[in-house]
């Protein structure tokens, strides 16, 4: 043993400083969990191995004499180099295992191969620089020391891996880069210290002894924050590979220079080139595997998304695309295909009243019920909203039977958190008209479903060819109706309303007629529903109101005491500011509001009563009178009739014709309705009077206004004006009136109506019973129909 020099003691002291850095790494590993804990403990183990090997090597060197044999120094250097190389490789392994360095082991292997590619290029370029003929270090070139070469190889790997992690570590990558940089410093020390021992150069030993603890402290400080969240990106298309050309270009340039300088390729140069080649091949193999795996993932995702694109997410059934795909599949020759369309009746009310969450739960239950009642090979689909379809391998007759079973299944209560929900369904069935004709089959099923809805719902309808004709007719009517006003194809006719029993015309109902040059006369019960469905009813209603008021103004100017009624659809009634529109039309033609009667069908009463009353009050505030049309069709109740702000009650023609069809006696219902209307202070008008017997029944009931074919069909305005002139001239001709005897009062005689004065400007129509002293015979109802006698202002 020789006396240690100051350089050796300084190196020993520096190595002792590395011990706390190793302790910090071990403590960090105990504080972390999971992958971070494992990586930190491996880093601590690698740091301990490197530090222990360096201390052992330096202490062993102190026991060697300065003039010790070169073989002893070389053997000690090689032993220290091997131990420190193993410790450095352990540090590199811990670096690759840090969170954010690589998403999996395969990615870590990929980073290692990339590092080897860069390391082999560095080795090759370094060999070209230090060997003959370049010898950039000159006489200081270390020759014949394997320890230095082993450490240099590990150092190049560490530097290459640091470069790769700097480019491909997950964000934030500062921690990983600092750890890799610290390991690179340790690798340089692991190369210089064995080389200094082998070459007998204390300067190398001291420099390495300083770099070793410095690198370990860099690693220990970096791993304190190594457990921060990182953004992991595993998509291979986001990995840059352009850096692979730089090492190859460097090797080509260095090799070319070496050959031009007269050098030859020795073993170490061949080693670097071989490692570069094998690393590139291995990297290519991994890349092909990644591409293969990525392609498989793409196929799986494509299949998954294709399935999602053909599946309804709420019910798990096929969607419209899925149904179309099933329809396009080749049909079996021995089994026909039938499409069953289903639509839930009244489902919109479930969403409106109970919310969309309950509605979604009901739809999901519908999907479960359909799925549970399918046969093998059948395809159930949700086409959208509350519309479903089932593609069945069955004949239309079998599908009809299945549709009836589905009606029963879907009609069962739906239990939800908000209580039970009761729904019915409409079903349309269509058989496949021709193989592969997907669109026609879906259209036929939709047509059958549509007619099932129109015919009362909760039923099964089978497609018929005449549905096509009806649909085509509907489409033609809708298109032509849009231009009917501009083409002057519409006109009004007026059906007279007469006073009973005098049969004197006192009013008229405006009726719309349409004569098409090609279609001919189109019935109102055909084109009015088309107008309501297509939204054209507002345009038609505005035109009818304008034309009726214009004609009424002409009659009033001619001195005729008459009023006109116009039918009002529910959609017009609920239109925004319809009352203002009516007032504007009346003002336009100077028509007294009391001369206009707006007829609301009894079907409108089935809607929201509060909203209906509010709308009718708005209309009556303009001064017009309101008539309840088709009374007796089954919608109005007595309580609703008392609350409705109406002035005239029009008895439905079915009640007028009822006695002839059943008993042949006086109509008990007509008598009841007339008495009821008079009791409520309403004028009563019987429509649909077509025979003298019906007229007699109506008159016996006490009804003073009548309308029907017995008194005249709808006629042009000039024809009705002729009737008005005739009635007016006959009314002015003096006719001797015989004095009437008081009518004999019998308990069975019908009630009569009478004007009662309630105060100044206030009158009311009341019913007069046969036992009332005011009861008398026929009355002149002209003043009753006039606005001044109806108490309208």
């Amino acid at each position: 043993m020789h006396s240690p020099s100051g350089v050796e003691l300084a190196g020993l002291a520096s190595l002792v400083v590395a011990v706390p850095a190793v302790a910090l790494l071990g403590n960090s590993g105990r504080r972390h969990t999971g992958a971070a804990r494992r990586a930190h403990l491996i880093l601590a183990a690698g740091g301990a191995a490197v530090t222990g090997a360096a201390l052992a090597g330096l202490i062993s060197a102190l026991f060697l004499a300065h003039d010790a044999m070169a073989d002893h120094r070389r053997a000690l250097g090689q032993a220290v180099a091997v131990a420190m190389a193993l410790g450095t490789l352990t540090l590199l392994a811990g670096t690759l295992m840090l969170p954010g360095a690589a998403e999996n082991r395969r990615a870590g292997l990929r980073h290692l191969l990339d590092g080897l590619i860069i390391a082999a290029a560095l080795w090759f370029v370094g060999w070209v620089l230090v060997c003959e003929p370049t010898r950039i270090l000159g006489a200081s070139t270390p020759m014949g020391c394997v320890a230095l070469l082993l450490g240099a190889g590990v150092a190049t790997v560490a530097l290459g891996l640091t470069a790769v992690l700097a480019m491909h570590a997950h964000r934030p990558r500062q921690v990983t880069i600092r750890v890799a940089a610290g390991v690179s410093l340790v690798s340089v020390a692991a190369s210089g210290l064995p080389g200094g021992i082998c070459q007998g150069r204390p300067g190398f030993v001291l420099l390495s002894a300083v770099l070793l603890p410095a690198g370990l402290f860099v690693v220990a400080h970096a791993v304190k924050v190594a457990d921060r969240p990182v953004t992991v990106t595993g998509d291979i298309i986001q990995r840059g590979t352009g850096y692979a050309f730089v090492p190859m270009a460097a090797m080509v340039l260095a090799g070319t220079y070496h050959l031009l300088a007269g050098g030859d390729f020795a073993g170490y140069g061949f080693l670097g080139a071989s490692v570069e080649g094998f690393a590139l091949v291995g990297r290519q193999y991994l890349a092909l595997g990644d591409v293969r795996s990525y392609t498989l993932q793409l196929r799986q995702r494509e299949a998954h998304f294709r399935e999602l694109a053909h599946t309804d997410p709420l019910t798990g059934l096929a969607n419209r695309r899925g149904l179309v795909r099933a329809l396009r599949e080749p049909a079996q020759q021995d089994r026909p295909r039938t499409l069953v369309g289903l639509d839930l009746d009244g489902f919109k009310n479930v969403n409106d009243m109970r919310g969309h969450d309950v509605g979604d739960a009901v739809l999901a239950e519908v999907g479960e019920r359909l799925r549970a009642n399918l046969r093998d090979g059948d395809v159930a689909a949700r086409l959208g909203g509350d519309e479903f379809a089932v593609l069945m391998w069955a004949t239309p007759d079998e599908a009809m039977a299945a549709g009836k079973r589905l009606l029963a299944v879907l009609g069962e209560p739906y239990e939800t958190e908000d209580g039970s929900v009761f729904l019915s369904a409409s079903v349309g069935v269509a058989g496949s008209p021709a193989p592969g004709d997907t669109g026609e089959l879906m259209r036929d099923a939709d047509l059958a479903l549509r007619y099932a809805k129109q015919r009362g719902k909760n039923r099964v309808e089978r497609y018929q060819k005449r549905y096509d004709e009806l649909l085509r007719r509907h489409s033609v009517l809708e298109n032509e109706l849009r231009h009917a006003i501009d083409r002057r194809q519409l006109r009004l006719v007026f059906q007279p309303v007469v006073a009973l029993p005098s049969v004197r015309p006192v009013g008229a109902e405006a009726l719309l007629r349409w004569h098409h040059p090609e279609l001919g006369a189109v019935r109102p019960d055909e084109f009015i529903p088309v107008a309501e469905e297509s939204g054209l009813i507002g345009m038609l209603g505005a035109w009818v109101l304008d034309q009726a008021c214009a004609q009424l103004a002409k009659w009033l100017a001619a001195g005729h005491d008459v009023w006109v009624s116009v039918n009002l659809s529910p959609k017009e009634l609920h239109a925004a500011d319809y009352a203002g529109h009516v007032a504007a039309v009346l003002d336009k033609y100077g028509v007294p509001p009391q001369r206009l009667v707006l007829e609301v069908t009894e079907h409108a009463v089935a809607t929201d009563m509060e909203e209906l009353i509010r709308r009718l009050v708005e209309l009556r505030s303009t001064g017009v009178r309101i008539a309840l049309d088709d009374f007796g069709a089954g919608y109005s109740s007595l309580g609703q009739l008392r609350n409705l702000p109406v002035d005239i009650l029009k008895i439905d023609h079915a009640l007028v014709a009822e006695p002839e069809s059943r008993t042949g006696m006086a109509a008990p219902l007509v008598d009841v309705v007339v008495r009821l209307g008079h009791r409520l202070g309403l004028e009563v008008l019987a429509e649909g009077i077509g025979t003298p017997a019906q007229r007699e029944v109506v008159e016996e009931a006490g009804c003073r206004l009548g309308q029907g074919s017995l008194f005249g069909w709808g006629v042009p305005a000039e024809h009705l004006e002729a009737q008005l002139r005739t009635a007016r001239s006959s009314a002015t001709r003096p006719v001797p009136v015989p004095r009437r005897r008081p009518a004999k009062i019998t308990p069975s005689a019908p009630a009569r109506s009478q004007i009662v004065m309630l105060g100044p400007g206030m009158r009311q129509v009341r019913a007069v019973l046969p036992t009332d002293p005011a009861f008398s015979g026929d009355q002149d109802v002209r003043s009753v129909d006039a606005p001044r006698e109806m108490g309208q202002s």
Side-chain angles (χ1 to χ4, degrees):
M1 179 177 178
H2 66 279
S3 298
S5 64
V7 173
E8 292 172 336
L9 291 176
L12 185 61
S14 297
L15 290 177
V16 172
V17 177
V19 175
V22 176
L24 288 176
L25 287 173
N27 185 51
S28 177
R30 289 191 296 271
R31 288 188 298 103
H32 289 82
T33 59
R37 176 185 178 88
R38 184 167 56 253
H40 293 183
L41 292 178
I42 292 177
L43 287 173
V50 172
T51 303
L55 286 173
L58 187 56
I59 292 173
S60 299
L62 294 178
F63 286 92
L64 291 177
H66 286 290
D67 55 354
M69 296 179 60
D71 293 339
H72 293 169
R73 292 196 306 270
R74 188 178 300 111
L76 178 60
Q78 291 175 358
V80 173
V82 171
M84 294 188 73
L86 292 176
T88 304
L89 293 176
T90 304
L91 286 171
L92 290 175
T95 303
L96 287 175
M97 296 176 66
L98 283 173
E103 62 268 18
N104 50 46
R105 294 182 179 179
R106 189 178 184 87
L109 180 59
R110 186 168 53 248
H111 290 338
L112 182 60
L113 289 175
D114 290 341
L116 283 177
I117 292 174
I118 298 176
L122 291 175
W123 176 276
F124 187 82
V125 173
W127 172 77
V128 169
L129 293 177
V130 300
C131 70
E132 295 289 349
T134 303
R135 289 182 63 88
I136 191 173
L137 297 179
S140 301
T141 301
M143 300 299 295
C145 187
V146 179
L148 183 60
L149 296 178
L150 180 61
V154 175
T156 56
V157 173
L159 292 174
L161 187 60
T162 301
V164 171
L165 292 177
M167 291 183 289
H168 294 293
H170 302 299
R171 300 181 184 276
R173 58 174 64 119
Q174 291 85 356
V175 172
T176 306
I177 294 175
R178 276 187 279 174
V179 172
V183 174
S184 297
L185 290 177
V186 173
S187 67
V188 173
S191 174
L193 194 144
I197 295 175
C198 180
Q199 296 285 331
R201 297 184 178 182
F204 278 17
V205 174
L206 178 60
L207 179 61
S208 301
V210 173
L211 290 178
L212 178 62
L216 291 177
F217 271 109
V218 170
V219 173
H221 182 268
V223 296
K224 287 184 178 181
V225 292
D227 56 347
R228 292 180 180 176
V230 295
T231 303
V232 178
T233 303
D235 195 344
I236 63 173
I237 64 175
Q238 297 183 6
R239 304 171 192 155
T241 56
Y243 63 89
F245 292 96
V246 177
M248 288 300 300
M251 291 185 66
V252 170
L253 292 176
T256 303
Y257 164 77
H258 186 68
L259 292 176
L260 292 177
D264 56 353
F265 285 96
Y268 293 121
F270 180 77
L271 176 63
S274 299
V275 171
E276 181 77 11
F278 281 110
L280 286 173
V281 172
R283 184 64 177 85
Q284 185 67 20
Y285 177 79
L286 284 180
L288 291 176
D290 288 340
V291 172
R292 189 181 300 109
S293 175
Y294 187 73
T295 303
L296 180 61
Q297 292 179 12
L298 285 180
R299 290 178 179 176
Q300 293 174 347
R301 291 178 183 177
E302 182 182 2
H304 175 67
F305 288 127
R306 186 184 298 111
E307 190 64 26
L308 288 180
H310 294 84
T311 304
D312 177 62
L314 179 61
T315 62
L317 304 176
N319 57 13
R320 186 178 293 273
R321 292 191 187 92
L323 179 63
V324 171
R325 181 178 63 176
L327 287 170
R328 289 176 178 173
E329 293 178 356
Q332 303 178 16
Q333 296 181 357
D334 57 338
R335 299 183 63 187
R337 293 193 305 182
T338 304
L339 185 63
V340 179
L342 303 100
D343 190 89
L344 301 179
D345 302 328
F347 179 76
K348 185 177 184 299
N349 294 330
V350 177
N351 280 335
D352 294 341
M353 302 300 296
R354 303 199 182 189
H356 289 274
D357 291 339
V358 174
D360 290 347
V362 171
L363 292 176
E365 178 64 21
V366 170
E368 290 295 332
R369 296 183 185 184
L370 290 178
R371 192 180 293 108
N373 288 273
L374 291 182
R375 303 179 305 178
D376 293 339
D378 294 346
V379 178
R382 179 185 175 217
L383 304 183
D386 60 345
E387 187 177 356
F388 295 82
V390 178
L391 178 61
M392 306 181 65
W393 296 96
T395 64
D397 292 335
E398 295 173 340
M400 287 288 291
K404 293 177 181 179
R405 291 196 303 269
L406 290 177
L407 278 187
V409 170
L410 298 180
E412 296 178 359
Y414 298 86
E415 301 299 333
T416 65
E417 296 180 356
D418 197 35
S420 299
V421 176
F422 298 89
L423 292 173
S424 62
S426 299
V427 179
V429 178
S432 181
D437 202 343
T438 301
E440 186 173 353
L441 180 59
M442 295 184 67
R443 185 183 64 87
D444 293 348
D446 189 63
L447 273 179
L449 177 60
R450 177 178 179 178
Y451 280 95
K453 285 278 192 181
Q454 291 181 354
R455 294 181 178 181
K457 304 178 180 179
N458 193 26
R459 58 184 293 141
V460 182
E461 283 289 335
R462 182 174 175 178
Y463 169 77
Q464 301 178 23
K465 289 186 177 181
R466 65 184 184 89
Y467 291 167
D468 285 327
E469 300 176 1
L470 294 176
L471 179 62
R472 192 177 301 108
R473 173 80 172 180
H474 185 284
S475 178
V476 171
L477 290 179
E478 180 180 345
N479 293 333
E480 295 298 322
L481 193 57
R482 295 181 182 276
H483 310 286
I485 295 178
D486 297 336
R487 296 171 180 173
R488 301 181 179 275
Q489 297 173 0
L490 300 179
R491 63 187 179 91
L492 289 184
V493 297
F494 297 87
Q495 186 175 25
V497 176
V498 302
L500 298 176
S502 62
V503 196
R504 182 181 58 84
V506 294
E509 180 179 0
L511 302 173
L512 182 61
R513 296 293 183 262
W514 181 19
H515 184 83
H516 192 273
E518 297 178 2
L519 301 176
V522 185
R523 293 173 54 87
D525 58 359
E526 184 179 11
F527 71 81
I528 292 299
V530 173
E532 291 180 345
E533 290 182 15
S534 59
L536 299 175
I537 192 66
M539 177 187 68
L540 295 183
W543 184 85
V544 170
L545 179 64
D546 184 87
Q547 296 297 310
C549 288
Q551 185 59 54
L552 178 58
K554 295 179 182 178
W555 286 337
L556 294 177
H560 300 297
D561 187 10
V562 69
W563 48 265
V564 170
S565 65
V566 175
N567 290 284
L568 180 61
S569 72
K571 290 188 177 181
E572 290 180 277
L573 179 61
H574 292 283
D577 196 26
Y578 183 74
H581 173 68
V582 172
V585 175
L586 292 173
D587 182 68
K588 174 182 177 182
Y589 294 103
V591 174
Q594 300 86 353
R595 299 284 182 169
L596 177 64
V597 177
L598 296 179
E599 297 187 10
V600 180
T601 61
E602 194 185 11
H603 298 278
V605 181
T607 60
D608 186 0
M609 277 296 298
E610 294 184 1
E611 178 65 16
L612 176 63
I613 292 175
R614 187 180 70 84
R615 294 285 184 171
L616 293 179
V617 168
E618 289 181 358
L619 283 176
R620 290 191 72 192
S621 66
T622 64
V624 302
R625 291 183 290 170
I626 305 297
L628 183 60
D629 197 8
D630 299 334
F631 182 77
Y635 284 90
S636 298
S637 66
L638 179 59
Q640 292 173 334
L641 186 60
R642 295 184 61 181
N643 296 327
L644 286 175
V646 298
D647 304 285
I648 303 175
L649 203 62
K650 297 188 69 173
I651 305 176
D652 187 69
H653 64 86
L655 297 184
V656 175
E658 185 264 344
E660 289 188 349
S661 63
R662 289 204 309 173
T663 64
M665 301 170 57
L669 293 181
V670 172
D671 184 71
V672 170
V673 173
V674 173
R675 288 173 179 265
L676 176 63
H678 288 170
R679 289 287 187 181
L680 295 175
L682 304 177
E683 188 58 78
V684 182
L685 189 157
E687 59 180 345
I689 302 176
T691 64
Q694 293 174 356
R695 171 189 171 185
E696 182 179 356
V697 168
V698 170
E699 290 180 356
E700 289 180 359
C703 184
R704 301 183 304 139
L705 294 176
Q707 180 182 356
S709 59
L710 183 63
F711 313 115
W713 296 99
V715 295
E718 55 270 19
H719 294 181
L720 182 61
E721 186 174 2
Q723 297 180 26
L724 293 175
R725 285 197 299 266
T726 302
R728 184 178 180 185
S729 61
S730 62
T732 57
R733 185 182 304 120
V735 177
V737 180
R739 186 172 183 178
R740 289 181 177 269
R741 293 183 179 182
K744 183 179 180 180
I745 300 175
T746 60
S748 60
R752 301 300 188 191
S753 300
Q754 186 181 58
I755 303 295
V756 180
M757 295 293 297
L758 301 179
M762 298 179 61
R763 298 174 176 83
Q764 182 182 18
V765 178
R766 72 177 183 90
V768 183
L769 299 178
T771 57
D772 195 317
F775 184 86
S776 60
D778 293 341
Q779 299 181 24
D780 184 3
V781 298
R782 175 181 57 184
S783 59
V784 176
D785 299 315
R788 61 180 179 276
E789 296 295 342
M790 291 298 294
Q792 301 288 345
S793 58

